[in-house]
Amino acid sequence: MRSPRPRPRPTVRPTPSATLLATVLVALLALLTPLLATATSTATANGAAPAPWAADRDGARPPQTSDGVVGPVARWLPPRLRARGPLAEPTREWVAPGVHLSQWEEDTVRGRIRAHLLTVQWRRPGVSVDYGNAGRVRATATVPEIAARDRGVVGAVNGDFFDIHDTGAPIGVGVERARGLLHGRRVGWNSAFTIGRDGTPAIGRREVVTRIRQHPGIPIATLNAPNVPVDSIGVYTRAWGRAAGARVTDESRRGVRVVRVVRGRVVSNNRRLPRGVDITGTVLVGRGHGARRLRALAVGSRASLVSRVEGRPRMAITGNAFLVRDGVLEALDDRELHPRTAIGIDRDAGTILLLVVDGRQPSSRGYTMLELADAMVRLGADEALNLDGGGSSTLLARRTGLGVGIVNSPSDGVARRVANVVEVRYRRPR
């Protein structure tokens, strides 16, 4: 039995009125698109951008940079056309023993980019990589200002995402070699670059555990974080800086409890959030269920707090997303273009890679997350982590005859004040 012949589909011809309507709709969309983009940028400029660590409740993606600016949408390309374009001859400069700076331009189907790379041989005697900040967790300063605080800095890039519109504090984990653990959270924002006790770099998840020895059943969510989550408890120490009042409770004063501990003893337990004074001792802030749990800490009772980072690294800093894990691309977002900063590890070469790609400029369009991950793989990274981007993206390096200075082109036109940095230091071995 023969298969029935398919009936030809009738040809539908649009009526003149339908054609006119479609034309009008397309024209309206073309007019509204830039207006919507302007409204979004204006909201961001006025400080109305959502916090970079919080996704929109309606399912919208969180901002890709601390400043919350919505980047231009990259032209869609099939994978075969996403390959890199012709490279201008890269320049390579000696920065210090075991540290080199490379810079290049690249023409692609989507436009030109300009990139800057520090390669650091972590096994080289005298070379070290460390965390740096402006002295207090919630203090901000430019990358050159932070680098100038520490001896032997020959290179640096901006670090973690931070609460740019409010407290200024970084969102994730921070460990400095000299001062130890400075800030972090138990859950969320734990994707970190670390230096282990044996000096080996790694990229992976690192949670921060803070507990009260006398009350192990009271969970602590954050340490010196920009805010205390609802129904949780956050801890603030001297490293935080000046108390921020209700800014750490999202301006909420209801359902809040504050406990102050000095030398292992509870000295106060009330609802008054300190503001504008340096923190002495340790301050615990509870919200909702967390506030109710803190009632158990009676004035005069003992309360010893201890904090540690998983794996006990000597240095740690977090970003918002893994780019590469075991040589495989993790970041697949190929939509928004931004200036970017990334840190990676090339285990075969024994190098740490610090990459900054300029963006938001006619001379350099920036990268999508997928392009950034692909670039790190091309540079040899087995593991890579995305750090803060946008106007924060800054690379500092020592250059012969010029000293230590910014070598890229920050998109704000000037160096932005940031919360922390990754520093490359060199001290001549004795």
Side-chain angles (χ1 to χ4, degrees):
M1 183 177 178
R2 291 185 297 176
S3 301
R5 295 178 63 185
R7 294 181 181 179
R9 295 182 178 179
T11 302
V12 179
R13 299 182 183 277
T15 63
S17 59
T19 302
L20 177 61
L21 179 60
T23 303
V24 171
L25 288 173
V26 171
L28 283 173
L29 182 61
L31 288 171
L32 287 173
T33 298
L35 290 175
L36 289 172
T38 301
T40 302
S41 299
T42 301
T44 299
N46 292 335
W53 65 91
D56 189 271
R57 291 184 179 181
D58 295 328
R61 295 177 307 172
Q64 295 195 7
T65 58
S66 287
D67 54 28
V69 172
V70 178
V73 176
R75 171 186 173 188
W76 183 86
L77 292 174
R80 63 186 175 83
L81 293 181
R82 291 177 190 159
R84 64 185 183 274
L87 290 175
E89 187 65 28
T91 62
R92 181 175 167 87
E93 300 178 43
W94 180 90
V95 174
V99 184
H100 291 85
L101 169 69
S102 299
Q103 297 177 280
W104 67 91
E105 292 183 344
E106 182 177 333
D107 285 310
T108 72
V109 175
R110 286 174 170 167
R112 172 167 290 193
I113 67 97
R114 188 171 54 242
H116 317 266
L117 175 71
L118 278 176
T119 56
V120 183
Q121 296 174 1
W122 79 75
R123 298 189 185 94
R124 186 71 176 254
V127 173
S128 64
V129 174
D130 204 354
Y131 169 107
N133 70 3
R136 291 286 184 260
V137 170
R138 62 168 300 202
T140 59
T142 66
V143 175
E145 289 169 343
I146 293 174
R149 293 175 52 88
D150 299 313
R151 294 180 59 188
V153 176
V154 296
V157 298
N158 62 289
D160 200 358
F161 288 62
F162 65 108
D163 189 13
I164 190 172
H165 298 301
D166 200 352
T167 64
I171 296 164
V173 180
V175 179
E176 187 187 70
R177 290 174 184 262
R179 293 184 290 168
L181 174 62
L182 298 174
H183 54 87
R185 56 184 63 233
R186 183 156 194 166
V187 178
W189 216 275
N190 301 121
S191 303
F193 170 87
T194 61
I195 301 291
R197 310 301 296 181
D198 61 353
T200 302
I203 288 176
R205 299 199 185 279
R206 295 290 184 272
E207 69 175 24
V208 172
V209 177
T210 300
R211 63 186 180 89
I212 308 170
R213 282 176 175 161
Q214 294 79 6
H215 299 271
I218 297 180
I220 307 295
T222 60
L223 172 67
N224 291 328
N227 74 327
V228 179
V230 177
D231 293 326
S232 301
I233 299 171
V235 170
Y236 293 89
T237 68
R238 183 181 177 184
W240 169 257
R242 288 187 175 272
R247 294 160 73 180
V248 299
T249 57
D250 304 320
E251 299 300 335
S252 174
R253 290 174 173 80
R254 298 186 63 180
V256 171
R257 183 158 291 276
V258 180
V259 174
R260 184 163 168 256
V261 178
V262 177
R263 297 177 182 175
R265 294 277 182 183
V266 177
V267 298
S268 65
N269 187 330
N270 54 49
R271 299 180 180 179
R272 293 190 298 273
L273 286 160
R275 181 181 179 88
V277 295
D278 288 334
I279 290 178
T280 56
T282 303
V283 174
L284 294 86
V285 178
R287 299 180 64 183
H289 294 311
R292 289 190 283 275
R293 285 178 177 271
L294 287 181
R295 291 176 184 170
L297 302 184
V299 173
S301 65
R302 293 192 61 80
S304 305
L305 282 91
V306 291
S307 299
R308 65 175 180 83
V309 188
E310 182 182 356
R312 302 184 184 277
R314 297 180 65 190
M315 173 270 178
I317 196 165
T318 44
N320 74 327
F322 297 123
L323 297 170
V324 183
R325 300 301 305 273
D326 293 326
V328 178
L329 298 183
E330 285 280 316
L332 302 177
D333 188 337
D334 197 35
R335 183 175 173 82
E336 286 187 34
L337 295 168
H338 288 287
R340 303 286 185 180
T341 303
I343 186 167
I345 304 168
D346 181 346
R347 300 204 179 279
D348 291 337
T351 56
I352 295 168
L353 309 171
L354 298 168
L355 175 68
V356 166
V357 176
D358 292 334
R360 300 179 185 169
Q361 303 169 51
S363 57
S364 187
R365 61 176 173 83
Y367 264 165
T368 66
M369 289 284 282
L370 175 60
E371 289 176 319
L372 183 63
D374 180 67
M376 294 302 285
V377 169
R378 287 191 276 127
L379 291 169
D382 301 292
E383 313 281 341
L385 176 70
N386 183 57
L387 300 176
D388 191 17
S392 300
S393 287
T394 308
L395 190 144
L396 193 76
R398 185 174 73 180
R399 309 178 79 175
T400 303
L402 299 175
V404 179
I406 296 173
V407 301
N408 75 307
S409 177
S411 64
D412 288 351
V414 295
R416 172 181 288 176
R417 298 176 71 87
V418 297
N420 52 31
V421 304
V422 179
E423 294 180 344
V424 180
R425 302 175 186 171
Y426 178 75
R427 292 187 182 181
R428 183 178 297 176
R430 293 181 179 179

